[in-house]
């Protein structure tokens, strides 16, 4: 207990479909948790010390939505709490809980059921600063991503084609992944010839929404081996907030200092000095195509302003030197609101265990996982994962 | 491999701040948060540059009228370009913020943590109760259009029936806390009232009268929490966090024994075990039990094992919980006297204990010497219990 390493001993999921009318959100939470606990061989009533749930009121349509957290994940009358943020922030709490010595085993659940939200656009509207931004009635909230994309392109010289190439790569990667409802065999021409949705991106370059719940079980080094042999190590976590939600007037356009800060923190904890060399693959934020390139830069997986050149050279391809989003990313798997970060985490864990099936990479020993909470926030979280298994 | 960034050790509170608790504050939620954070930093003698991490607490998003409220409050909470999370257990959030800050520091991930809680309830139109219409199970309960006061009335009624307490016995809590609040410059509804005033105030849902309830309030509170080394560097009188506890009962309140707060009892046992406290009724010197309703303070005194089940109201009548009594409770004035900006109210209680343990509570300072203190908060559908044990 205490200062040892932190292990991922179980993962479970339910959903990853545009709609899941057969279950309630509690049903999804139960399914994913049940699977994760079964895989880790833990009894939630006895073995799990703390339960962390990641959700946000307005997405759920319930005020004080954390009331509903304990039962479906087995946390009733146990230490259970909610982080209103992306699932990867819950992983950061689990990391601290274990490192502080308070807990040996922690479960983290996150879910999103966008198919049940009739007024998604209005909820984004409510995330804007009520004094400065909301009165502008900007309509489509994704204009923020469009502005960022343009700033990024003008800073780095990346062209529209590069953004489109990310969409082509990820949606094609998704064809190998069972959990990727938005994957498709598309060509660069198809992307480029389709109309803009939010300039400079087309619909192909913006991720759709999918319902999902993901649960992960983390444990201290001392007890991890007691439960399972399939251990993946969580070597470091980092998270950071750049500007307050809706305060987009202060944002550094075309950059993500929050992701850079989060990466620096996670790499320091993981002892990762040369991410470009030491990382086998990464599951990064790509809900807008340009975000994958920007993420690669801020995560220091590519030199400053060079991500589009690495993409062009095929280095981020499935069989490239540093595959980005071999799962297909959010562009293929969809955005599951607060579960998006855990979806990336799940894919990385499966790769590191050699259990990714048709999209298994040849070499998967160390992974970087990164997430962003989406417009209009600038909060990012990063995790570094590794496996002892020789890839 | 380099892992632990800093040394793992004890965790202390070194500064606290609260805004005035009031209705219709002109400040935005961000400004309220900063006012409290600034006070806490000033008391600790630190600036934002010294802060490694920020933990934000706020109850439902809807009160401030913003989605993703953690990020919204980040500006005012000094969280920009820092690791920031918002943690959340409904009304229990106020005490949960320092609980979570504990593991931020104890894990070695952060040396200094700014813990901020804010709530601005007055902008909810036409009344905050309308936000509470959306806290129910959308299929089973919401169609019945329940009101929060109903279920609290049920709980109060159950406590009265099980424990033989009368309304006048319970009203004494309101009288005591509102009087205690007269010495608190941050208080919204401090008053010298009598049991009769409580009984004669407007009946809302029997047996709950208006003066049994804490008011709608805007406000913020903040603490600076650090690891042991930093605490010793910045102050001669750190207040240690000895124990933390938190529990969430299931969401189906209709199946529970409402006379005894099981959620709190479990959390309290966790916190006492960690703090090495075996007989809380003897070892605790001062307490801030969560008191959004007057019966709730009695309920929570029992859940915290500061009195036997069903005995708290009897001790209250004997003056046991007065500021100069055996075991002072809510010397701050509590939610009934200071006000109830949900998450901020819980953190205000922890701030009060910090000041009590440093003998800095001024006119509110309890008579007896104090060494160990406990605070709790409660929330969700009567199911969340959060506990913190402090010592000097």
């Amino acid at each position: 207990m205490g200062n040892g390493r932190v292990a991922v001993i179980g993962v479970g999921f339910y959903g990853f479909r545009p709609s899941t009318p057969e279950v309630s959100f509690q049903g999804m939470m139960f399914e994913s948790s049940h699977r994760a606990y079964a895989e880790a061989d833990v009894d939630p009533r006895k073995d799990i010390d703390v339960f962390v749930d990641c959700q946000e009121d307005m997405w759920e349509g319930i005020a004080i939505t954390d009331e509903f957290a304990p039962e479906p994940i087995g946390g009733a009358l146990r230490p259970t709490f909610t982080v209103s943020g992306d699932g990867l922030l819950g992983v950061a709490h689990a990391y601290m809980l274990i490192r502080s010595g308070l807990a040996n085993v922690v479960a983290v659940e996150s879910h999103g059921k966008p198919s049940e939200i009739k007024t998604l656009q209005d909820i984004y509207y409510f995330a804007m600063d009520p004094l400065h931004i909301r009165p502008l009635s900007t309509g489509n909230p994704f204009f923020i991503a469009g502005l960022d994309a343009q700033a990024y392109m003008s800073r780095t010289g990346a062209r529209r084609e590069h953004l489109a190439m990310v969409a082509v790569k990820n949606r094609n990667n998704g064809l190998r992944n069972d959990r990727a409802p938005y994957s498709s065999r598309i060509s660069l021409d198809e992307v480029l010839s389709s109309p803009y949705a939010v300039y400079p991106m087309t619909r192909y370059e913006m991720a759709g929404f999918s319902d999902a719940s993901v649960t992960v079980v983390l444990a201290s080094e001392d007890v991890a081996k007691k439960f399972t042999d399939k251990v993946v190590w969580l070597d470091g976590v980092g998270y950071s907030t750049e500007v307050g939600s809706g305060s987009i007037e202060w944002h550094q356009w075309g950059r993500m200092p929050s992701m850079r800060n989060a990466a620096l923190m996670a790499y320091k904890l993981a002892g990762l000095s040369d991410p470009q060399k030491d990382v086998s693959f990464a599951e990064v934020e790509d809900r807008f195509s340009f975000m994958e390139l920007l993420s690669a830069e801020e995560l220091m997986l590519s030199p400053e302003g060079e991500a589009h050149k690495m993409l062009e050279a095929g280095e981020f391809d499935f069989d490239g030197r540093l595959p980005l989003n071999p799962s297909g990313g959010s562009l293929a798997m969809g955005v599951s609101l607060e579960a998006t970060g855990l979806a990336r985490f799940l894919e990385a864990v499966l790769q590191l265990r050699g259990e990714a099936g048709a999209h298994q990479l040849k070499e998967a020993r160390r992974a970087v996982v990164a997430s962003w909470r989406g417009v209009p926030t600038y909060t990012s979280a990063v995790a570094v994962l590794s496996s002892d298994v020789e890839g | 491999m380099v892992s632990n960034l800093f040394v793992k050790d004890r965790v202390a509170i070194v500064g606290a701040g609260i805004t005035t608790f009031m209705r219709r504050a002109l400040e935005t939620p961000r400004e309220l948060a900063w006012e409290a954070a600034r006070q806490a930093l000033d008391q600790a003698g630190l600036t934002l540059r010294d802060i490694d991490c920020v933990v934000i607490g706020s109850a439902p998003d809807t009160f401030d009228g913003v989605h993703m409220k953690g990020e919204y409050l980040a500006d005012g909470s000094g969280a920009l370009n820092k690791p920031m999370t918002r943690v959340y257990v409904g009304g229990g959030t106020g005490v949960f913020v320092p609980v979570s800050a504990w593991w931020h520091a104890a894990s070695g991930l952060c040396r200094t943590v700014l813990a901020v809680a804010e709530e601005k309830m007055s902008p909810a139109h036409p009344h905050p109760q309308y936000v509470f219409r959306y806290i129910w199970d959308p299929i089973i309960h919401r169609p019945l259009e329940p009101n929060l006061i109903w279920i609290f009335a049920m709980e109060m009624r159950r406590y009265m029936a099980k424990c033989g307490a009368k309304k006048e016995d319970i009203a004494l809590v309101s009288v005591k806390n509102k009087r205690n609040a007269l010495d608190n410059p941050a208080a919204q509804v401090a008053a010298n009232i009598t049991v009769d005033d409580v009984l004669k105030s407007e009946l809302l849902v029997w047996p709950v009268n208006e003066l049994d309830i804490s008011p709608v309030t805007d406000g913020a509170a903040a603490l600076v929490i650090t690891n042991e080394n930093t605490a010793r560097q910045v102050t001669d009188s750190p207040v240690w966090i000895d124990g933390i506890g938190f529990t969430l009962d299931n969401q189906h309140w209709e199946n529970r024994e409402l006379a005894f707060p099981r959620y709190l009892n479990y959390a309290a046992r966790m916190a006492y075990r960690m703090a090495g406290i075996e007989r809380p009724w003897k070892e605790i010197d001062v307490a801030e039990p969560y008191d959004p309703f007057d019966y709730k303070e009695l309920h929570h005194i029992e859940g915290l094992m500061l009195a036997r089940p069903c005995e708290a109201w009897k001790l209250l009548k004997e003056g046991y919980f007065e500021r100069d009594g055996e075991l002072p409770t809510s010397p701050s004035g509590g939610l009934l006297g200071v006000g109830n900006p949900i998450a901020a109210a819980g953190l205000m209680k922890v701030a009060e204990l910090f000041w009590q343990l440093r003998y800095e509570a001024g006119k509110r300072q309890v008579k007896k010497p104090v060494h160990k203190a406990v605070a709790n908060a409660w929330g969700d559908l009567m199911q969340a219990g959060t506990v913190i044990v402090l010592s000097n």
Side-chain angles (χ1 to χ4, degrees), chain A residues 25 36 43 46 60 75 82 89 98 109 136 205 226 253 264 282 325 334 345 348 365 378 386:
Chain A
F25 74 91
D43 175 352
K46 291 202 305 246
E60 307 286 335
T82 293
L89 294 167
I98 291 169
E109 192 277 346
L136 301 175
E205 292 161 80
K226 200 174 97 188
W253 295 100
L264 287 169
N325 289 319
F345 192 87
R365 283 191 298 117
Y378 290 94
S386 68

Side-chain angles (χ1 to χ4, degrees), chain A residues 66-67 77 129 241 373 379, chain B residues 30 71 81 135 248 380:
Chain A
D66 82 289
E67 295 164 353
L77 275 176
D129 179 279
T241 297
R373 280 197 84 196
T379 294
Chain B
R30 286 169 168 171
E71 266 89 351
N81 288 314
I135 70 170
L248 219 54
D380 290 355

Side-chain angles (χ1 to χ4, degrees), chain A residues 129-333:
Chain A
D129 179 279
L131 295 179
H132 299 114
I133 308 291
R134 214 181 285 171
L136 301 175
S137 296
T138 47
N140 188 339
F142 296 154
F143 79 97
I144 296 168
L147 291 174
D148 250 334
Q150 289 180 66
Y152 173 75
M153 287 161 71
S154 73
R155 173 166 68 81
T156 61
R159 294 189 315 278
R160 239 207 98 197
E161 290 76 12
H162 295 113
L163 270 53
M165 280 169 70
V166 172
V168 171
K169 169 176 78 70
N170 289 4
R171 287 188 192 259
N172 278 296
N173 278 354
L175 289 167
R176 299 188 182 92
N177 185 351
D178 297 339
R179 294 173 291 279
Y182 294 102
S183 54
S184 61
R185 200 172 300 286
I186 50 165
S187 67
L188 199 58
D189 274 354
E190 277 170 283
V191 178
L192 291 172
S193 61
S194 97
Y196 290 117
V198 168
Y199 184 83
M201 290 176 285
T202 67
R203 280 203 73 123
Y204 288 113
E205 292 161 80
M206 297 162 65
F209 289 95
S210 68
D211 294 356
S213 168
V214 184
T215 304
V216 300
V217 184
L218 294 104
S220 64
E221 185 169 9
D222 298 345
V223 307
K225 289 271 161 62
K226 200 174 97 188
F227 293 110
T228 179
D229 297 328
K230 295 190 294 186
V231 168
V232 168
W233 299 107
L234 174 62
D235 296 328
V237 287
Y239 57 104
S240 174
T241 297
E242 178 200 340
V243 291
S245 135
S247 314
I248 52 174
E249 61 272 38
W250 308 116
H251 171 52
Q252 276 191 47
W253 295 100
R255 293 199 183 257
M256 283 287 267
S258 58
M259 196 168 281
R260 172 77 56 142
N261 290 341
L264 287 169
M265 182 173 166
Y267 293 169
K268 185 168 182 191
L269 285 168
L272 186 65
S273 51
D274 186 357
Q276 282 191 55
K277 209 173 86 227
D278 298 341
V279 171
S280 343
F281 71 100
E283 284 282 339
V284 302
E285 182 55 47
D286 69 328
R287 67 185 77 192
F288 304 100
S289 56
F290 81 97
M291 270 306 293
E292 182 170 299
L293 300 173
L294 178 57
S295 299
E297 281 184 37
E298 300 293 18
L299 294 167
M300 294 160 274
L301 298 174
S302 96
E304 187 86 0
E306 306 267 311
H308 64 284
K309 292 176 194 157
M310 286 176 73
L311 174 78
E312 213 170 55
E315 296 192 43
F316 298 149
D317 285 354
F318 188 82
D319 47 9
R321 187 174 65 81
L322 176 55
L324 291 189
N325 289 319
S327 65
S330 293
L331 285 166
M333 291 173 69

Side-chain angles (χ1 to χ4, degrees), chain A residues 3 56-57 63-64 66-67 71 77 79 82 84 93 126 129 134 239 241 244-245 247 269 373 377 379, chain B residues 2 4 30 61 65 67-68 71 75 81-83 85-86 88 103-104 134-135 246 248 251-252 380 383:
Chain A
N3 286 326
E56 183 88 66
D57 276 12
I64 319 189
D66 82 289
E67 295 164 353
E71 284 158 291
L77 275 176
T82 293
S84 48
H93 275 270
F126 264 96
D129 179 279
R134 214 181 285 171
Y239 57 104
T241 297
S245 135
S247 314
L269 285 168
R373 280 197 84 196
T377 75
T379 294
Chain B
V2 184
N4 208 348
R30 286 169 168 171
D61 276 23
H67 175 45
M68 297 175 162
E71 266 89 351
D75 290 37
N81 288 314
K82 295 188 199 300
T85 54
R86 172 181 168 214
Y88 185 37
W103 63 70
H104 279 70
Y134 294 91
I135 70 170
F246 53 107
L248 219 54
Q251 175 257 333
H252 290 98
D380 290 355
Q383 80 202 84

Side-chain angles (χ1 to χ4, degrees), chain A residues 80-103:
Chain A
T80 303
F81 69 96
T82 293
V83 172
S84 48
D86 182 85
L88 221 42
L89 294 167
V91 169
H93 275 270
Y95 181 88
M96 291 187 274
L97 280 160
I98 291 169
R99 292 296 298 271
S100 71
L102 188 74

